């Protein structure tokens, strides 16, 4: 079940926080790898607004986590950033801290002035998760504004999936690859030596299949469709299956308690007549009913059977027991013709089986 | 419900056949024997009605481990019994080879992780994966024949099994209701 977790990440379960964290942690590694290699000033200064959004995040993470070695490029970053923006360092810090920034540009830029200064003086944030989602969220969200978001997302998904399969050898390769990228969204580029497109397609297809099954299971289990997250859904499924198994045990126990007084042989015979020939080990429980009684009931019953009663009817077992005396029939049978509904259909469902009226005559005569 | 009526019908029929064969109605059995016979009939009927799937085969193999059940199983399943007891295409080799593969992959990834970047905070993705893995192990134990299944097939069979179980419970409930009603009438 290796891709399971990654499938959650890759397919973007927006409801949970974990994909963001996962993405951000991935992102952090790549940012660290980008510290020394080229900072492309031209791309920072130029490009679209969203490009500017992307870069500050990169630099902000750098600054936060590696204040020492990151200073020269950081200063360069802030210098260039001061060009487009008036208060870049605070802006950068704000950008790094608040993921909302990416979705809502104006408040962020306006609030940039009110931030505490001295980004470099700030100690590296030891608590990585809170800050990391911010930079991770930001580059992803601006990327969504771009046209090629799908391919980026796919590449990101591929990346996240292949994260644990990464060798250390792949990382320098990734550095080279990503550093050569002129676009600011370096993190979405596919790594070298990783799965080719055909593989990723197969993986994606497999993940889709698994997700489809999970959805079906979610629909099956009541109250499961609101739950997000594979582990919780699996929890529910397990509980459901366990409860069903326990119910079977319980019901068999109850049937055992009830059973000695019930003769199921008659039932079985009726079902065999209903469903076709069945090799019944023991013959039908003898007893001949009054044929006249049957004949009078037949006409009434065929009409009754065509009427499907809405509430679940408990058909009288009197129907089943051939040993029942005709007196019982007089009491029950005539008054309620619809109780002569085929026991099979009433037990099983409300199929308007067309064969039922035909069989009913046969049933009656056999019994 | 996703279960066709023919399934339920076959289920009921075979269950009743099983009751007959095991003579649950007679007074000669103890309570536990009767309960076990009923449960066995119900399971065998479910297998019969469903046909040949991985979980049915697993269920048949686990049921037939008990020698006492043989007669009843054969009676209910008839010809299908032989077909269902066949090990499905190296069913024992597959889990073994998977275990070997997983062990190798685990060792390799562990070696890589030792040399790779160290994180104080465990990646949430791996955490989610570990949780899901635990659940999957539990599910494998639940599902008959689930040990040899992986990933997609596990989920698929779980779905199938859950639907069949639901139908089985439904039929048993109705049977119970009927028998109770007939008791009242007597």
């Amino acid at each position: 079940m290796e891709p399971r977790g990654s499938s959650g990440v890759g397919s973007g379960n927006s409801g949970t926080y974990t994909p963001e964290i996962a993405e951000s942690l991935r992102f952090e590694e790549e940012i660290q790898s980008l510290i020394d290699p080229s900072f492309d000033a031209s791309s920072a200064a130029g490009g679209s607004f969203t490009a500017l959004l992307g870069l500050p995040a990169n630099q902000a993470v750098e600054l936060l986590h590696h204040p020492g070695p990151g200073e020269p490029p950081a200063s360069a970053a802030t210098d260039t950033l001061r060009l487009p923006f008036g208060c870049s360092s605070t802006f950068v810090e704000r950008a790094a801290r608040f993921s909302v920034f990416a979705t809502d540009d104006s408040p962020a830029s306006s609030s940039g002035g009110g931030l505490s200064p001295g980004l470099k003086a700030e100690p590296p944030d030891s608590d990585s998760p809170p800050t990391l989602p911010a930079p991770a969220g930001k580059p992803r969200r601006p990327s969504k504004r771009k046209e090629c978001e799908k391919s980026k997302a796919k590449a990101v998904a591929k990346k996240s999936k292949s994260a644990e399969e990464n060798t250390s050898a792949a990382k320098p390769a990734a550095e080279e690859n990503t550093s050569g990228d002129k676009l600011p969204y370096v993190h979405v580029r596919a790594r070298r030596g990783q799965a080719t497109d055909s593989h990723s397609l197969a993986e994606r297809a497999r993940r889709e299949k698994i997700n489809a099954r999970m959805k079906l299971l979610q629909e099956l289990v009541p109250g499961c469709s609101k739950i997000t997250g594979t582990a919780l859904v699996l929890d529910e499924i397990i509980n459901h299956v366990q409860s069903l198994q326990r119910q079977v045990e319980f019901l068999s126990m109850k049937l055992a308690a009830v059973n000695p007084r019930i003769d199921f042989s008659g039932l079985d015979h009726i079902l065999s007549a209903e469903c076709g020939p069945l090799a019944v080990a023991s013959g039908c429980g003898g007893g001949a009913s009054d044929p006249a009684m049957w004949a009078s009931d037949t006409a009434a019953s065929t009409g009754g059977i065509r009427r499907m009663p809405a509430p679940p009817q408990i058909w009288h077992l009197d129907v089943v027991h051939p040993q029942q005396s005709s007196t019982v029939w007089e009491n029950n049978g005539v008054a309620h013709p619809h109780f002569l509904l085929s026991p099979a259909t009433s037990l099983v469902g409300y199929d308007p089986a067309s064969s039922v009226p035909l069989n009913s005559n046969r049933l009656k005569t056999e019994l | 419900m996703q279960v066709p009526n023919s399934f339920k019908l076959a289920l009921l029929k075979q269950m009743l056949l099983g009751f007959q064969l095991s003579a649950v109605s007679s007074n000669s059995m103890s309570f536990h024997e009767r309960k076990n016979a009923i449960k066995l009939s119900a399971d065998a009927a479910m297998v019969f009605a469903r046909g040949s799937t991985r979980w049915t085969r697993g269920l048949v193999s686990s049921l037939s481990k008990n020698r006492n059940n043989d007669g009843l199983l054969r009676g209910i399943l008839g010809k299908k019994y032989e077909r269902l007891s066949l090990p499905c295409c190296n069913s024992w080799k597959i889990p073994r080879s998977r275990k070997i593969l997983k062990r190798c992959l685990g060792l390799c990834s562990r070696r890589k992780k030792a040399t790779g970047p160290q994180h104080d905070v465990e990646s949430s993705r791996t955490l989610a994966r570990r949780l899901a893995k635990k659940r999957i192990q539990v599910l494998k134990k639940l599902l008959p024949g689930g040990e040899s299944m992986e990933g997609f097939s596990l989920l698929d069979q779980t779905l199938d099994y859950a639907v069949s179980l639901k139908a089985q419970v439904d039929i048993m409930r109705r049977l119970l209701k009927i028998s109770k009603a007939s008791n009242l009438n007597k």
Side-chain angles (χ1 to χ4, degrees):
Chain A
M1 299 300 287
E2 289 298 317
R4 172 166 293 281
S6 63
S7 74
V9 175
S11 52
N13 291 335
S14 52
T16 57
Y17 190 54
T18 44
E20 299 290 334
I21 294 179
E23 271 307 302
S24 60
L25 288 170
R26 259 276 35 83
F27 186 65
E28 188 219 350
E29 292 170 20
E30 288 149 53
I31 293 306
Q32 287 170 11
S33 68
L34 286 174
I35 289 167
D36 289 329
S38 63
F39 166 73
D40 204 338
S42 59
S43 60
S48 60
F49 180 61
T50 53
L52 291 164
L53 290 175
L55 261 181
N58 293 358
Q59 303 305 321
V61 177
E62 260 177 61
L63 291 167
L64 284 167
H65 289 273
H66 295 269
E71 286 205 29
S75 54
T78 47
D79 281 335
T80 51
L81 285 171
R82 273 185 198 114
L83 295 172
F85 296 101
C87 45
S88 56
S89 61
T90 54
F91 177 75
V92 163
E93 193 223 0
R94 186 74 173 194
R97 292 212 164 240
F98 300 101
S99 57
V100 185
F101 166 77
T103 51
D104 210 349
D105 309 324
S106 41
S109 49
S110 60
S111 61
L115 283 177
S116 56
L119 182 59
K120 291 169 203 168
E122 205 173 312
D125 204 337
S126 56
D127 189 15
S128 31
T131 49
L132 285 172
K138 263 186 304 315
R140 278 187 83 192
R141 277 171 226 166
S143 77
K144 280 178 185 165
R145 290 183 212 158
K146 291 227 155 186
E147 304 143 43
C148 48
E149 60 138 332
K150 275 184 195 167
S151 56
K152 302 283 194 232
K154 187 175 171 186
V156 166
K158 220 190 311 182
K159 276 277 202 58
S160 57
K161 165 187 71 63
S162 55
E164 64 280 358
E165 294 145 12
N166 255 346
T167 60
S168 48
K171 285 227 168 104
E175 278 180 56
E176 297 161 12
N177 202 19
T178 49
S179 59
D181 189 8
K182 291 298 174 191
L183 296 170
Y185 305 98
V186 293
H187 61 284
V188 299
R189 190 52 75 100
R191 293 193 165 195
R192 234 179 59 185
Q194 285 308 309
T196 63
D197 270 351
S198 67
H199 284 282
S200 61
L201 276 174
E203 289 275 354
R204 180 159 277 256
R206 182 168 172 266
R207 258 183 284 140
E208 295 296 331
K209 267 204 306 183
I210 288 183
N211 286 339
R213 279 288 173 268
M214 288 291 289
K215 279 211 174 67
L216 281 176
L217 278 164
Q218 273 185 302
E219 281 168 36
L220 183 72
V221 179
C224 208
S225 28
K226 305 162 201 163
I227 300 177
T228 48
T230 315
L232 295 170
V233 169
L234 282 175
D235 244 353
E236 288 300 313
I237 292 167
I238 285 169
N239 285 338
H240 189 69
V241 169
Q242 269 175 344
S243 83
L244 283 174
Q245 283 175 338
R246 267 184 252 132
Q247 275 176 44
V248 168
E249 285 269 355
F250 180 68
L251 283 169
S252 65
M253 200 179 68
K254 292 213 105 173
L255 276 171
V258 151
N259 216 339
R261 294 163 273 175
I262 300 300
D263 180 21
F264 282 108
S265 56
L267 248 184
D268 190 57
H269 187 73
I270 282 193
L271 284 175
S272 67
E274 166 80 10
C275 316
L278 166 73
V280 178
S282 58
C284 64
S289 322
D290 193 352
M293 170 65 66
W294 280 114
S296 64
D297 272 328
T298 306
S301 64
T302 45
I305 284 167
R306 286 212 181 87
R307 276 183 277 122
M308 298 308 248
Q313 287 284 3
I314 304 172
W315 51 280
H316 282 291
L317 260 178
D318 300 335
V319 176
V320 182
H321 289 280
Q323 296 96 341
Q324 289 292 329
S325 64
S326 49
T327 52
V328 181
W329 271 117
E330 284 158 13
N331 295 335
N332 298 320
V334 182
H336 308 280
H338 56 272
F339 273 85
L340 295 174
L341 257 178
S342 162
T345 49
S346 69
L347 266 179
V348 164
Y350 304 107
D351 251 8
S354 54
S355 59
V356 169
L358 295 169
N359 283 344
S360 60
N361 298 333
R362 210 159 41 92
L363 269 173
K364 305 304 184 284
T365 50
E366 273 185 66
L367 276 177
Chain B
M1 199 122 55
Q2 306 167 15
V3 175
N5 265 346
S6 58
F7 177 79
K8 286 191 183 174
L9 209 59
L11 186 61
L12 178 64
K13 200 169 73 170
Q14 294 304 309
M15 209 187 314
L16 294 173
L17 172 62
F19 290 171
Q20 262 187 307
L21 288 175
S22 55
V24 291
S25 315
S26 68
N27 288 324
S28 57
M29 302 175 103
S30 74
F31 177 74
H32 279 289
E33 284 175 9
R34 198 176 290 125
K35 183 198 109 181
N36 291 335
I38 290 175
K39 183 151 189 282
L40 182 64
S41 312
D43 287 338
M46 187 167 67
V47 166
F48 180 91
R50 184 59 190 86
S52 182
T53 58
R54 292 175 82 164
W55 68 264
T56 49
R57 268 175 264 148
L59 189 55
V60 164
S61 63
S62 60
L63 286 176
S64 57
K65 277 186 186 146
N66 188 355
R67 283 288 158 193
N68 304 337
N69 301 341
D70 246 5
L72 188 55
L73 269 176
R74 278 178 204 272
I76 295 176
L77 295 176
K79 280 188 226 162
K80 289 195 178 187
Y81 181 72
E82 299 305 325
R83 243 182 291 150
L84 290 169
S85 355
L86 283 173
C88 50
C89 54
N90 311 333
S91 57
W92 302 121
K93 292 186 189 169
I94 290 178
R96 226 191 303 151
S97 58
R98 280 205 185 112
K99 279 181 199 162
I100 296 169
L101 208 63
K102 276 188 176 169
R103 214 186 307 142
C104 293
L105 283 173
L107 283 171
C108 293
S109 61
R110 231 174 287 149
R111 255 186 252 125
K112 286 174 201 170
K113 276 178 183 164
T115 57
Q118 298 295 325
H119 291 291
D120 299 358
V121 178
E122 184 187 3
S123 166
S124 56
R125 201 183 328 121
T126 50
L127 181 69
R129 187 160 308 163
R130 265 203 300 151
L131 289 176
K133 251 201 173 105
K134 277 188 199 164
R135 310 295 198 270
I136 287 166
Q137 278 168 9
V138 175
L139 191 60
K140 279 190 185 178
K141 283 183 200 147
L142 266 188
L143 201 63
E147 302 288 334
S148 60
M149 288 192 251
E150 280 293 314
F152 174 74
S153 54
L154 186 69
L155 285 180
D156 196 30
Q157 295 295 299
T158 309
L159 185 66
D160 212 49
Y161 182 60
V163 166
S164 312
L165 265 186
K166 211 169 188 177
Q168 188 187 36
V169 164
D170 191 34
I171 292 286
M172 286 175 89
R173 259 206 201 115
R174 294 196 209 209
L175 258 182
L176 189 66
K177 209 158 62 163
I178 284 166
S179 48
K180 274 190 176 165
S182 80
N183 271 348
L184 288 173
N185 284 340
K186 285 182 182 165

